Amino acid sequence: MSYAQNGTNGYDNGGYARDQNGRSREDLEEGGPAAVSRARRAGGYGGFLGDSLPSPSEVEPPIASRHIPYDVGSNGRFANESSDRAIQGYMARDGRDISNAGTYGTGPGGRQIESVIQHIEESWDVLTKDDCVPVHVALQLMDHSSLGRGNDYQDFQRTSQQLQKALKAIVNEHHQGFNSSIGTFHKIQSSIQASQARVRALKDSVQDAKASLMITKPELKGMGTCSQNYDDMIRIFGQIQDRWKSSQADPTISMALESANSWGRPLYTFLDGLDTSVFMEDDASKNPEKDSFNYIHMVLESLSRLGHLDAAVNTMEQRLPVELFAIVDRTNQEVDLRHLSHLRNLQGVDKRLAGAGHDDSSRSDVLNDLLLTLYSKLEAIAEGHRAVHDVVVGITKREGLGNRSDLSGGFKEMWKLYQSEMRSLLHDYLATDGDNSTRSGRMPMTEANRVFKLAEIDKKSADLAAEQEDLDQILKASVPGLVSKSRGRPGVIDLKNSTFDGPVAGHKLLIDPSVFNISLLLPPSLGFLQRLKDIVPPDSDIAKSTLTSFLDDFLVNVFHPQLEETVTELCTQAITGIDAFQKDPQWSRKASKPVFKGTSTFFALIQAFCKLLQTIPQDPNFTRLLVLQIESYYDKCSEWYNALVARPRSQEQSESQLKTAAVMAQSGEIREVAEQLLNNPDTGIDPLLYKEIGILVSANQEQPFQPSDIISDHRNVLALCLLHTSMVWLASSLSALRHVVSEPSATSTKSAQTRRWTVLTLQTNRSSAASTHPRLSLTPSIATSFDQALSSIRSLALTALLTLHLDIRVGTIHMLSRTLSAPYLLAQPTQEPDPSVLALNNDLLSSDDTLSTHLNAREHTYIMSGLALLIDSVLISLTPKLVPAMNTDGCARIQLNILVLQQNLKAIEAVAVLSRSVEYFDLFTRGAGGIVSLAKEQGKEIGFTLEELKGLVALCYSEGLRSEGREGAVAARKGMSSALMELSEVLWDT
């Protein structure tokens, strides 16, 4: 470049420059640096000088520089030991403080740039000013007169080179810091952005939490009430425990407790001391609330003396249904308040399945609370009626009234009401047909179905008062004691504001009804009946042995038919549901591989019914019903399998036919060989594989496989995989339930049909209900049917697996046949494999992904192993039959197909190779003569049969046989005949 482009400037006064000490150029020592500059490099700060700079020979001879900051040799480098020492020496000679040279760093680059900058400030300070004109300085450097600075040009050039060298050294020293600073900046920026995002998310969370806290939630109030009730219960339990400990510490109390028996209860203490032969004397000092039975005795004695005993007994009998219903309804409401309704019933679950395989702890708590509370109240009422019965019977005997059933039949009437309430309770919580909000046996009283409504009449009407007075007189005359003397009772009841609907109203159901609730209903009910036996009066015309007869009738006439109906309906729903043959989204919780949703639901039902059957008397009819449902499910799965493997039905066919692989998997030699391969994966596998391949190739030669013979739909392949895993899992799970019991005798069977509930004990029932291992108790005859059903299920699973194994091989043979049927007498080379080969590769990879996901490793390996041997054998056996002609380019395309297939198979099976096919088509490149010569050399060790080599020799002459010239075709025919004859002579015995 020109001097004007160096960016330098001349002196402002046109004279010679002087240093800081006032020395002129002549005063400086001689021997300035040479004019030779540093060799220019590509890039960097050392490569900015152009080649157009004039050499020292092109200008006037240089005059020694008036400043010599560097000692350099003839080669342009420092003559000292290092450049650092030269710079330090220079700075020392000038009287500078070397310690101040660390402004630009302590390394060599920093010291160099410090020295260069100081030299510029001393010798070229004109360039550092704002009013510097570069053109002016360039002109001065070109002027070698006394007014110009041409003699300083070499110093200017050396200064520029040293500046570039110093800058490059600084960059080399600090390049790592520059690079890391960029990454650090980006990391800091990313951290700041992430922090901002977290702050925003935290702000949104705080706002959401604030909004949630400001929303009123009614359920929290209910939970708080329940928590307070629980605290009260815990406090009461603590007081009971303290009193029990104190009673244990007191010897008197301990002896009293030890001497007490079941007759030490207040009722039996009262009955033991009851004496109705004399009139009861009232003791005003006794508190009636402390001894309710004595109070009852006193009231009945008083009514007897007043002559109203019969009226009181009749009133009790009339009021008993209403009062009993009110007690049941009040108990139901109390339990309803103690348990949150949204936690009881399962959301999104069929109500008939409530309690079947689901977490029913909340449901059991509700029912146990209801039954224990209700039965304790009913037991207390029964004790009161027992006291009334004994007192009334004693009074009638003392008064000589005889055995009046109208006075002594109250306990029997109470027992009838108890039976009705218990039967309704069992029916409501077991039956699934009816209104789930109220008891199905009773119609709730509502404003819409009331017949009479007297709440809107005028209660102060004079006519109404007169009619009421006449009615009271008639009732007093006809039924003494029925109407109270006090007229304080209201004439009508305000039905609009009353919460009691009367005996026709229904109770609210606390949980959803289900047959599986029997395990929760039965133990408390049986316990109550057992305790009730001790309360029944001996002379009450109630046989204690028949107290559970109504339960027996309920079991036979209500529960058994409903259980059979529920079993059949639920199993049918699981079998025929829309998603029955879809993958279960929650299969990982139940099985190691995906299964059908219908299969998991069906087994959950069987398991739930097994748990249920353990809580009721064993009945072979129920186990037989479950076995029938298992057989029905197998039939449905078998129909599904047939639909998956069926050929498309034509108009001429009346029945659908199965695909080739499904037909082979049913029976025959090919099924036996395939089963042996599955059962013996490690021993004698090669002979079995060759045998299987031979059968498949023979079947293809008899009737070539068609696209309709292959299960081409990927969804059907997936369904067959799910069918296999589902059937294997179901058979294994069902076999774990199998429990064989002895065959019941005829006597026990007859008694079981008549008396079912009474054969149970509370201990057996509770242990069965709490069992965590459900079992299906089978008699030997039913166990045989059960085993046959499991065998059928396992056979279906095996058939589905064999179908997948054979179908992928049938499809491979079909695709290879299409590949070999393409023309291989090509006019030019091709670099693309056959489309059929690409399609086969895609099918194999897709099948491998599906099988690996939905089958176990053993089954997956069974299906996908041996494909390389199959392809190897099929290519060699079908080539002579399907390839009519082939030239060198056609052989190259087949070899390309083989290479593509082999690479694809290695992705499926790492050891897969097509070595025989590669060797077979390599023989084609040798020509017919080469094949014959190799056969003569190796004989039987050549590795191919005579027929396979004959076909290959024929393909070697196929292009010549199809030549247009007659002489060429004749020569090819003669050569082929000669080669085949020689080949036959060599390999005739092979």
Side-chain angles (χ1 to χ4, degrees), residues 796-924:
L796 179 59
L798 177 61
T799 302
L801 183 63
L802 296 179
T803 301
L804 291 171
H805 174 81
L806 295 173
D807 180 74
I808 197 170
R809 282 153 176 78
V810 170
T812 301
I813 294 175
H814 170 70
M815 297 302 292
L816 291 177
S817 299
R818 290 179 54 183
T819 301
L820 295 176
S821 299
Y824 289 99
L825 197 61
L826 304 180
Q828 59 184 3
T830 179
Q831 301 297 328
E832 295 293 333
D834 193 275
S836 300
V837 172
L838 298 178
L840 176 59
N841 285 342
N842 292 333
D843 292 341
L844 292 178
L845 290 177
S846 177
S847 299
D848 182 66
D849 292 340
T850 302
L851 297 175
S852 62
T853 304
H854 297 87
L855 294 180
N856 293 319
R858 175 174 174 264
E859 287 77 9
H860 173 234
T861 303
Y862 165 69
I863 294 176
M864 301 306 298
S865 62
L867 290 177
L869 184 60
L870 172 70
I871 295 174
D872 221 6
S873 302
V874 170
L875 284 175
I876 296 173
S877 62
L878 293 185
T879 296
K881 300 179 178 64
L882 298 179
V883 180
M886 182 172 62
N887 56 10
T888 305
D889 293 335
C891 180
R893 187 175 192 185
I894 291 183
Q895 290 176 325
L896 177 61
N897 292 337
I898 294 174
L899 178 61
V900 172
L901 286 171
Q902 181 172 279
Q903 294 299 325
N904 184 73
L905 289 174
K906 285 185 178 180
I908 299 173
E909 191 176 7
V911 297
V913 290
L914 302 177
S915 57
R916 294 189 71 243
S917 297
V918 173
E919 294 176 2
Y920 185 74
F921 288 97
D922 283 344
L923 291 177
F924 180 85

Side-chain angles (χ1 to χ4, degrees), residues 685-809:
I685 189 170
D686 287 342
L688 292 175
L689 284 176
Y690 280 116
K691 186 176 182 180
E692 182 185 54
I693 293 170
I695 297 174
L696 291 173
V697 172
S698 300
N700 182 63
Q701 291 177 356
E702 294 178 2
Q703 185 176 359
F705 299 144
Q706 302 298 325
S708 58
D709 297 324
I710 306 169
I711 305 175
S712 57
D713 194 346
H714 176 71
R715 293 173 297 180
N716 291 353
V717 175
L718 174 61
L720 288 175
C721 294
L722 292 175
L723 178 63
H724 169 75
T725 54
S726 299
M727 294 299 100
V728 171
W729 176 79
L730 179 62
S732 175
S733 302
L734 290 176
S735 62
L737 302 177
R738 187 178 184 273
H739 176 64
V740 181
V741 297
S742 59
E743 195 81 36
S745 60
T747 305
S748 61
T749 303
K750 183 177 180 180
S751 61
Q753 293 176 353
T754 56
R755 302 294 304 277
R756 300 178 183 271
W757 296 101
T758 54
V759 300
L760 291 177
T761 62
L762 291 177
Q763 182 178 1
T764 303
N765 190 279
R766 288 172 181 172
S767 62
S768 300
S771 176
T772 56
H773 301 286
R775 298 184 303 178
L776 181 59
S777 299
L778 304 168
T779 60
S781 58
I782 301 178
T784 303
S785 302
F786 181 79
D787 295 338
Q788 291 177 354
L790 294 188
S791 178
S792 300
I793 292 175
R794 293 190 181 98
S795 177
L796 179 59
L798 177 61
T799 302
L801 183 63
L802 296 179
T803 301
L804 291 171
H805 174 81
L806 295 173
D807 180 74
I808 197 170
R809 282 153 176 78

Side-chain angles (χ1 to χ4, degrees), residues 13 37 57 96 113-114 142 239 288 421 435 450 454 482 517 587 603 675 712 715 745 768 774 833 850 899 945 951:
N13 55 7
S37 63
S57 61
R96 298 187 181 93
I113 194 67
E114 178 72 17
M142 295 174 64
Q239 295 176 359
E421 286 295 337
D435 187 4
R450 282 198 177 98
L454 304 178
L482 179 62
N517 292 334
W587 63 267
F603 176 72
E675 284 190 44
S712 57
R715 293 173 297 180
S745 60
S768 300
T850 302
L899 178 61
T945 64

Side-chain angles (χ1 to χ4, degrees), residues 957 960-961 963 965-979:
Y957 290 99
L961 293 175
S963 62
R966 182 175 177 276
E967 294 179 355
V970 171
R973 189 176 295 107
K974 289 181 179 180
M976 183 179 67
S977 300
S978 176

Side-chain angles (χ1 to χ4, degrees), residues 928-942:
I931 296 173
V932 174
S933 300
L934 188 62
K936 290 180 180 180
E937 293 177 2
Q938 299 182 1
K940 297 180 181 180
E941 302 298 330
I942 194 172

Side-chain angles (χ1 to χ4, degrees), residues 444-454 494-502:
M445 178 64 72
T446 61
E447 294 292 335
N449 56 21
R450 282 198 177 98
V451 180
F452 301 102
K453 185 176 182 181
L454 304 178
D494 189 359
L495 296 178
K496 182 180 296 185
N497 299 324
S498 177
T499 59
F500 174 64
D501 290 336

Side-chain angles (χ1 to χ4, degrees), residues 60-78:
E60 296 182 6
I63 302 176
S65 175
R66 57 177 63 96
H67 296 287
I68 308 177
Y70 313 112
D71 288 337
V72 293
S74 59
N75 57 354
R77 299 183 180 273
F78 290 108

Side-chain angles (χ1 to χ4, degrees), residues 109-129:
R111 291 192 292 270
Q112 292 179 26
I113 194 67
E114 178 72 17
S115 176
V116 172
I117 290 177
Q118 290 180 357
H119 177 68
I120 292 174
E121 290 176 351
E122 293 173 359
S123 302
W124 301 94
D125 59 340
V126 65
L127 298 176
T128 62
K129 297 179 180 180

